[in-house]
Amino acid sequence: QQKISNMDVGSLIPHFKKGDFGNLYLDIPEDLEYQKMVGEIYFNFSMKIEQNNKINQTLESIAQAIFKSWFIDFDPVRAKIAAKQKGKDPERAAMCAISGKSEVELQQMTEDDLAELRATAALFPDELVESKLGEVPKGWFKTDLSILADLNVQSWTKKNCPEKVTYVDLSNTKWGVIQQTEEFIFEKAPSRARRVLKIGDTIVGTVRPANGSYAFIQRENLTGSTGFAVLSPKHKNYAEFIYIVATDKENIKRLAHLADGGAYPAVSYDTVLNTPCILPIENKDGVLNLFHKNVKEFYFLSASKFEENNILASIRDTLLPKLLSGELDVSGLQGEGA
């Protein structure tokens, strides 16, 4: 990269000329077997990172599937209705729908697990009623995220700012992943580096929302751009629900449709906060607490895999030039299955 940078041409827009590729010489070991060994080391690091990414995609899919079953398709409610029509136990049917287990498999569960599953099933009614949104569970109502989240709670000022900030920008945040952060002395940080981000916050880009600049904050000491709407849960158990609702594909489409402003279409912060959702009128915390309990470990594991990837990528990218230059020699590992 340094050699490419040194060969940049153009003062206004530096660029690398295609014709200069023939002049781009890289120092590599002469031994072909050694080259293959270095490539294998790099490949193994990259494959582990890719495997972690796939695990994270699976974890996210599971959490979203639970959300869809409970809050979109109302599977436990429909299971109760179907059981009543057949003269069967509606609570038992809902327990099967929630757990994905058969009646026989339920009998193999411990008493504690059954009791918890029964308590979850009891939170869902056994009737659907018509509404402007179509069928919804009886006793549930349309609301929005303002009932669960506070908006842009804290921003840095010259009076309360830290010496340094780790900055999260819209361009480096895509489809749930903070791909890169930048370290700045606060005085030299971009003027938009002001939003204080806490673990459990959801950030959604308000500029060109169709670009998917959103993420679930799972690291301490991050500072976000003012281009984000920051949704902070009023209770920690609301965090995952808020994130999934705010970043649902249909909601991103809604935000994109509402965005205006010509070259930089944007929505207001309140438009993000007012994202609609459906919740029980009574005991909404009961449902949300159990949803949190069911999905929190998925996001915790996802965060640990993401952090592991950062470490692996750092080690990989530090090792590669040292291996290629001969500063580190791994030829002694040949034949040892390294």
Side-chain angles (χ1 to χ4, degrees):
Q1 289 298 315
Q2 186 59 52
K3 289 185 177 183
I4 290 174
S5 179
N6 292 340
M7 296 172 72
D8 279 347
V9 297
S11 56
L12 182 61
I13 305 178
H15 60 281
F16 182 71
K17 292 174 62 178
K18 182 169 62 176
D20 285 341
F21 271 111
N23 299 320
L24 182 62
Y25 295 97
L26 303 176
D27 299 321
I28 60 174
E30 292 184 7
D31 187 344
L32 182 59
E33 290 303 315
Y34 186 83
Q35 291 180 31
K36 291 179 179 179
M37 194 178 303
V38 172
E40 186 174 354
I41 291 172
Y42 187 91
F43 177 79
N44 288 338
F45 272 101
S46 298
M47 285 301 294
K48 177 58 178 173
I49 291 171
E50 179 63 22
Q51 182 182 26
N52 284 344
N53 287 335
K54 289 181 178 178
I55 290 173
N56 281 354
Q57 290 172 4
T58 300
L59 293 170
E60 178 72 22
S61 296
I62 295 172
Q64 290 185 357
I66 295 173
F67 171 83
K68 185 174 184 291
S69 176
W70 289 22
F71 300 102
I72 303 296
D73 295 336
F74 311 120
D75 289 336
V77 180
R78 296 185 188 279
K80 285 186 176 183
I81 293 172
K84 282 174 60 179
Q85 291 172 347
K86 296 177 181 178
K88 295 183 178 181
D89 182 353
E91 294 299 320
R92 201 78 174 172
M95 291 166 68
C96 290
I98 292 167
S99 64
K101 297 181 183 295
S102 66
E103 286 275 1
V104 174
E105 290 172 322
L106 288 185
Q107 294 172 6
Q108 299 170 357
M109 295 175 64
T110 66
E111 282 301 321
D112 287 344
D113 289 342
L114 270 177
E116 182 178 324
L117 186 54
R118 191 176 293 110
T120 304
L123 292 170
F124 293 89
D126 59 4
E127 185 179 348
L128 291 169
V129 296
E130 287 294 333
S131 75
K132 293 179 180 179
L133 302 174
E135 290 185 326
V136 300
K138 185 177 181 180
W140 290 40
F141 73 117
K142 178 186 176 182
T143 182
D144 59 52
L145 290 181
S146 65
I147 195 174
L148 305 175
D150 294 314
L151 177 66
N152 299 339
V153 172
Q154 185 180 0
S155 297
W156 297 125
T157 66
K158 291 184 178 180
K159 293 182 179 180
N160 70 353
C161 66
E163 182 181 350
K164 298 179 180 179
V165 294
T166 303
Y167 180 48
V168 179
D169 194 11
L170 272 72
S171 61
N172 296 327
T173 305
K174 294 298 175 188
W175 308 109
V177 178
I178 298 174
Q179 300 169 336
Q180 184 179 347
T181 59
E182 295 181 83
E183 304 288 332
F184 289 102
I185 301 296
F186 185 80
E187 293 179 353
K188 297 182 179 180
S191 60
R192 295 172 72 88
R194 293 295 182 269
R195 296 280 187 247
V196 180
L197 305 181
K198 302 290 186 181
I199 290 178
D201 286 351
T202 291
I203 56 175
V204 179
T206 57
V207 180
R208 292 178 175 166
N211 287 348
S213 296
Y214 63 74
F216 187 47
I217 302 302
Q218 296 173 282
R219 291 172 51 192
E220 295 278 9
N221 303 318
L222 294 178
T223 295
S225 166
T226 53
F228 289 116
V230 182
L231 306 180
S232 300
K234 295 181 179 180
H235 189 286
K236 66 178 183 178
N237 290 0
Y238 302 164
E240 295 85 2
F241 181 89
I242 292 168
Y243 171 69
I244 294 177
V245 171
T247 61
D248 178 76
K249 290 180 180 179
E250 291 303 316
N251 189 54
I252 296 302
K253 290 180 181 178
R254 178 185 75 92
L255 296 177
H257 177 73
L258 294 173
D260 56 30
Y264 295 95
V267 294
S268 69
Y269 301 129
D270 284 333
T271 300
V272 179
L273 181 64
N274 295 333
T275 296
C277 58
I278 299 174
L279 287 170
I281 295 175
E282 297 181 2
N283 199 21
K284 66 175 173 55
D285 283 1
V287 174
L288 293 177
N289 289 346
L290 285 169
F291 179 72
H292 166 75
K293 188 173 183 178
N294 274 271
V295 303
K296 65 178 181 179
E297 294 302 327
F298 299 142
Y299 287 99
F300 178 80
L301 180 56
S302 177
S304 67
K305 290 292 183 184
F306 183 76
E307 187 59 32
E308 181 182 345
N309 275 2
N310 286 337
I311 296 170
L312 289 170
S314 178
I315 295 172
R316 178 195 64 187
D317 297 343
T318 300
L319 278 177
L320 185 63
K322 294 180 183 295
L323 292 172
L324 290 175
S325 67
E327 184 179 342
L328 288 177
D329 186 359
V330 293
S331 57
L333 299 177
Q334 191 169 8
E336 298 181 11

